[in-house]
Each structure stands twice: as C-alpha cells, then as structure tokens.
Amino acid sequence: MEKYILALDQGTTSSRALIFDRQGNICSIARKELRQHYPQPGWVEHDPAEIWASQVSVAVEAMSKISISGRQLAGAGITNQRETTVVWDRNTGEPVYNAIVWQDRRTAAYCDELKNLGLSALLRGKTGLESDAYFSGPKIRWILDHVPGARLKAERGQLAFGTIDSWLVWKLTGGRVHVTDVSNASRTLLFNIHDLCWDEELLELMHIPASLMPVVASSSEVYGFVTDAFGGAEVPVAGIAGDQQAALFGQMCLEKGMVKNTYGTGCFMLMNTGGEPFISENRLLTTVAWQMNGQTTYALEGSIFMAGAVLQWLRDGLGIIQSSAEADALARQVSDTGGLYFVPAFTGLGAPHWDQYARGLMIGLNRGTTPAHIARAALESIAFQTLDVLQVMEQDTNLKIHELRVDGGASASNLLMQIQADLLGIPVVRPRITESTAAGAACLAGLATGFWKDINEIAGQWQRELVFSPSADPNQARIKKLRWADAVKRSGRWERE
Ligand SMILES: Nc1ncnc2c1ncn2[C@@H]1O[C@H](COP(=O)(O)OP(=O)(O)O)[C@@H](O)[C@H]1O
Ligand SMILES: O=P(O)(O)OC[C@H](O)CO
C-alpha cells in the first residue's frame, strides 16, 4: 500500500525533494545546491540538464534515507521557481539554450519597447502582469531570436517551451507529456487569466508560434506517470503549482483575504482573492493561485526580487558572514543600523515600484559604520520591501491584514521576523512546517490521487510554531518608513543602456 507523497521543489538556489506521510509530517528531505551562471551583467542562467539530474538525485536520496522505493509513493507533486524559461527540441529532448532565470534582465529593453508602444494596459488587462523582463514570454522570444536555427525549428513545430514544471514532467514521463498548470501559465505574459488559455494576440505580438506552448491543465490531477526515474515505479505525477502559489496552498490560506509571505531568494507576498481576478491599482500582480475540481482561485501578488539573496551577497560579495544564518548574530551586535539604509535593487525593483533600472544603494554610511550595521540594514531591507507591498495590498483590497503567515529559508531569522512584526505592526506567524511550498505541492498531488480524502483532512495539519508580536515604538517606525521611502526614490532609474 502506498504510504507517502513525494514533493519535488525545484527552487532558484536548490533542488529539493520531501516525502510526506498521511499525517502531513515530513519523513525525509534531500537537497542539492544549483549552480548559478552569470554570463553577462544582469544575465542569470541555469543548466536544464543539471536541474533535471539534481531533482532526480534528491528524490532518490530522499527515498533511500527512509528505505522506501517508488512503489510506496501514492503520487508526486511538482513545485518550481516560476517564469524561468526552457526551450527544447521535441525530437532529441535537448534544450537549445540554458534556462533563462526569472531574475535575468536581458529583455528589459524589449519590455520597455512594449511599454512605449502603449501596450501596458493590454498586457495587464489580459495577463494581470507588468511589461517586465521578469516574465517568460520575452525570454522565449529572445531564445528564438538569438539561438541559431531556433526560430526556423520553432516555426516547423520542432521546439517545445516550458517553465521548470513542464521541463520536469517532460523528463519524468520520458517525453510523453508536455503540460503546465494554470498557476505557472499565468506567469508567462502569454496567458489570458480570464479565459484561462494561451492568448493568440500576445503570442503573435511576441512572435511565438503556438506550437511551442504546453497544454494547460489544472493544479491537481494526474498528468502522466513516471517512466524510468524511480527504478521503474510508475508513480503518478498528480500536482503542479508555481512555488509561491503552492506556498499559499501549503500555508492553508484557502479563504479570501488570507496572506502569506515567503522569504526565499526573493520575497513573495500573496493574498487569496477568491474566484475572480482582482486587478490592482497599485501595480501588484494578478495571478492564478490554483485550479482544482473545476474551480479557479486567484491571488494578488507582490513580488520582491532580492530577499534572502541579500544575505547571500553579504556572504559571497562582501565576505562579512560565512553563512546566511550568521547574519542574525552579526546584526544583533548593534541595536540599530546607525542611520544606514540599504536598498537591494541589484536586479531592479519589483512590486510596487517596477523599476527595471533601479540599482542597489547604501545611504547613511559614516565613519562609525561596521559590518554589523550593514547586516542589520540588509535584514531591515527585506522587511521594508515587504512593508511596501503589504501597504498597497491593503489599499487595493480595502482589507485590513491582521496577521502575516511566513515561510521560506530566511524566515528562520528570528531577528528578521521581529523587525518585520515591528514595522508592520501586526503579528508575524511562523508555522511548524516552513516548507510550505513543498507541503502545498504534496497536498495538490495527494488530493488528486485520493491519498487524502478532501481538504478538511489536511487543513488541520497546519500549526503555528512561533508568533512574533509587534513591540516597537510606532513613532520610531513611522520615521524609519519615511527615510526608507526616500532611499528607494534615490535608487531609482540608475542604470543606463
Ligand atoms: N538561517 C537563515 N537565516 C536567514 N536567511 C537564511 C537562513 N537560511 C537560509 N536563508 C536564506 O534563505 C534563502 C533560501 O531560501 P529558500 O526558501 O531555500 O529559497 P529558494 O527557494 O529561492 O531557493 C537564501 O537566500 C538564504 O540567504
Ligand atoms: O525559487 P524561489 O523560492 O526564489 O521563487 C522564485 C519565484 O517563483 C520567482 O517568481
């Protein structure tokens, strides 16, 4: 009898596999770091072969850690870094170019062209998104225009496009299934979130043949079966969702108005807005959260490009810490930043500013500034960016957010979580299982395969671990917010073509 569900969580910095039992406990976990390639300033790539190999190897490792085989898996769910774009040859299965990662800025000028043509409103109306290099459509177009022979092959129907979920399903099913789910499709700038299909006008606008596109399915159904990867066990692949939407599901934000914030490489705050797409007045994104049993749920999203990655930069760029976990202790050596503000616009600014040309800035440096002040300002920068998003989310929806559920790697920092509660003035709630992304994917797959009867069976598995309550002087917080807003303004439109 199958006792477990496997979640494959393919993130920006690592591939992870987690195995859940029927009570929602994590029984096994394996993780492998993913190499980042920066071929030019502003470009970020991953090797699709490494993504696939690492994802299979962690799945096998997670099974062997608890001595089970694929035959004991009731199903597998996939969740992934979104927008990251792979184009491969349908016949050989070989990618024609590296995966272009969501953070990659090479298509910024093209996205400006779209804006200058007055197309922002059309794009926003159909897709819920901004004209920004973040999304997949412009990345596909770049590959077709720059890889020798790619456009011709695409026009002959020989190429396939996929976000990382599609790429993994294609590989898992031995090239039999070319599919994505609605949540991933809604991040491409090519998907009509009202009609829930690829938009012909947008495909034409970006010169992308429709034959490249995967079939769009719901987030919880059996898409196909694993062929060889798990020792011949034909495990059903039964759940797919983009990592941020999966985290919203895993945090059990199932009711309209519930909000979660995931602190990974970037930071992504999502609010469940129910069965209708909610269009923001403040440049938040409208996105499909998930679709199951014929019902579509939408979300409002604030995407922040640099969060935990700021701490990695303290480690790799500045060398002032050995690991991200050390940022906490270093920052605690001082009681405040000594007037230092750090805007981590390394790859531009996402919501709600959407400035592709903003760049990182530290302001307020003085002779007394130490690495401890910088570490504290770095942690504060993550919390300030979250504050900017939460404020406009409340404004947009006219809803008061009463608590923030948090997860992701950097939510492990107690100092960051306390700073966050102090700045927002609301409780920050960290659950027992902060692997919400994987939990969400497992739930979607477990529901599709009947491993769990219904959502009520799993909703009770979510539990609080720690609540961070606001304790700062609100007056102080108000002054700091004004200084932060000033610093953000100064970082804007810095980079030139
Ligand atoms: N103990 C910690 N304290 C603060 N930040 C951490 C800690 N552990 C990991 N991080 C940060 O979390 C991020 C990775 O989180 P993760 O959820 O795995 O992200 P992703 O899915 O984007 O790969 C890294 O950017 C890292 O800096
Ligand atoms: O891999 P993560 O957790 O940084 O998430 C990346 C997002 O999906 C990008 O939109």
Side-chain angles (χ1 to χ4, degrees):
M1 157 113 171
E2 298 92 355
K3 291 188 185 143
Y4 304 97
I5 289 279
L6 172 69
L8 302 177
D9 178 4
Q10 208 300 300
T12 313
T13 55
S14 68
S15 296
R16 279 190 291 247
L18 292 91
I19 296 174
F20 292 82
D21 67 14
R22 216 172 282 276
Q23 286 69 45
N25 300 307
I26 296 175
C27 305
S28 182
I29 180 164
R31 175 181 185 279
K32 198 165 188 175
E33 190 105 2
L34 193 67
R35 229 166 316 157
Q36 311 290 313
H37 302 271
Y38 306 108
Q40 289 190 29
W43 293 27
V44 189
E45 297 180 359
H46 290 158
D47 174 1
E50 185 188 346
I51 287 180
W52 163 240
S54 62
Q55 198 60 76
V56 173
S57 80
V58 290
V60 170
E61 188 186 336
M63 284 187 254
S64 85
K65 274 185 178 175
I66 52 169
S67 308
I68 64 164
S69 77
R71 289 188 175 70
Q72 281 150 286
L73 296 176
I78 294 177
T79 181
N80 53 290
Q81 51 167 325
R82 307 161 306 164
E83 301 95 14
T84 298
T85 296
V86 188
V87 174
W88 66 92
D89 188 309
R90 288 182 187 277
N91 298 321
T92 62
E94 288 298 317
V96 301
Y97 190 75
N98 265 348
I100 303 185
V101 176
W102 58 277
Q103 296 158 313
D104 190 290
R105 300 273 103 200
R106 79 186 67 186
T107 55
Y110 172 66
C111 294
D112 278 348
E113 262 174 53
L114 296 177
K115 279 187 219 159
N116 295 338
L117 286 168
L119 294 170
S120 300
L122 175 90
L123 289 167
R124 165 163 285 277
K126 288 187 175 217
T127 67
L129 307 177
E130 291 284 320
S131 177
D132 191 275
Y134 179 23
F135 305 106
S136 316
K139 298 181 199 290
I140 305 174
R141 182 180 183 275
W142 188 94
I143 291 175
L144 298 188
D145 284 347
H146 291 84
V147 175
R151 183 158 290 285
L152 190 64
K153 277 189 172 177
E155 275 156 12
R156 289 185 182 148
Q158 290 169 8
L159 298 187
F161 150 74
T163 35
I164 298 301
D165 54 312
S166 297
W167 171 240
L168 292 176
V169 175
W170 172 271
K171 297 295 281 181
L172 285 167
T173 60
R176 291 195 177 98
V177 180
H178 184 209
V179 74
T180 189
D181 89 302
V182 277
S183 72
N184 276 293
S186 75
R187 313 298 298 182
T188 56
L189 213 56
L190 298 168
F191 187 70
N192 189 312
I193 57 170
H194 309 278
D195 302 342
L196 299 172
C197 61
W198 299 121
D199 190 280
E200 281 175 26
E201 188 184 5
L202 298 181
L203 287 169
E204 208 167 298
L205 174 72
M206 294 189 211
H207 298 125
I208 298 170
S211 59
L212 256 88
M213 307 310 283
V215 169
V216 183
S218 79
S219 314
S220 181
E221 64 181 84
V222 175
Y223 313 95
F225 295 85
V226 177
T227 48
D228 306 324
F230 304 153
E234 294 184 354
V235 180
V237 183
I240 303 179
D243 55 7
Q244 303 309 323
Q245 291 95 328
L248 189 69
F249 200 87
Q251 285 271 24
M252 293 294 135
C253 293
L254 305 176
E255 302 294 328
K256 192 171 170 176
M258 294 182 82
V259 181
K260 71 87 202 178
N261 197 26
T262 300
Y263 300 75
T265 305
C267 207
F268 300 88
M269 192 189 296
L270 270 74
M271 175 191 273
N272 180 332
T273 57
E276 296 295 328
F278 185 98
I279 303 296
S280 165
E281 307 257 300
N282 288 294
R283 310 185 76 189
L284 296 179
L285 305 176
T286 306
T287 207
V288 178
W290 51 77
Q291 187 187 58
M292 52 195 304
N293 305 324
Q295 282 204 322
T296 308
T297 300
Y298 291 85
L300 205 53
E301 170 173 328
S303 325
I304 295 165
F305 298 151
M306 289 284 287
V310 185
L311 309 179
Q312 289 173 311
W313 182 72
L314 298 186
R315 182 193 69 186
D316 306 332
L318 289 190
I320 60 173
I321 49 175
Q322 299 293 314
S323 71
S324 298
E326 287 181 15
D328 217 295
L330 180 59
R332 280 182 197 278
Q333 290 176 9
V334 288
S335 57
D336 58 44
T337 66
L340 183 68
Y341 288 81
F342 179 0
V343 183
F346 290 62
T347 56
L349 285 172
H353 313 287
W354 296 105
D355 181 348
Q356 308 197 85
Y357 303 104
R359 285 298 176 268
L361 164 153
M362 269 190 231
I363 193 160
L365 287 162
N366 61 62
R367 299 278 298 262
T369 304
T370 65
H373 293 105
I374 295 175
R376 197 162 183 115
L379 289 172
E380 282 194 353
S381 78
I382 302 172
F384 273 126
Q385 293 182 94
T386 296
L387 167 79
D388 288 346
V389 167
L390 185 130
Q391 280 178 334
V392 296
M393 205 172 253
E394 287 192 330
Q395 222 170 298
D396 262 338
T397 56
N398 241 337
L399 290 173
K400 170 83 187 121
I401 296 170
H402 295 288
E403 67 168 30
L404 185 67
R405 295 187 174 187
V406 299
D407 54 70
S411 72
S413 163
N414 287 344
L415 180 57
L416 170 59
M417 294 301 104
Q418 188 57 52
I419 292 172
Q420 190 70 83
D422 289 345
L423 272 180
L424 299 180
I426 57 170
V428 167
V429 179
R430 193 166 64 195
R432 186 174 61 91
I433 293 180
T434 51
E435 295 283 358
S436 315
T437 302
C443 290
L444 292 167
L447 288 168
T449 50
F451 184 74
W452 288 298
K453 192 162 51 63
D454 56 32
I455 196 75
N456 298 324
E457 195 181 343
I458 40 183
Q461 293 170 359
W462 185 91
Q463 285 168 14
R464 289 158 199 259
E465 180 235 347
L466 212 51
V467 179
F468 299 85
S469 303
S471 61
D473 169 7
N475 222 17
Q476 280 287 319
R478 193 181 54 79
I479 295 167
K480 286 176 76 168
K481 287 176 201 172
L482 290 172
R483 297 294 278 165
W484 161 258
D486 194 3
V488 168
K489 216 175 275 164
R490 289 167 195 248
S491 76
R493 300 207 70 80
W494 179 259
E495 185 79 355
R496 296 279 177 267
E497 280 300 297

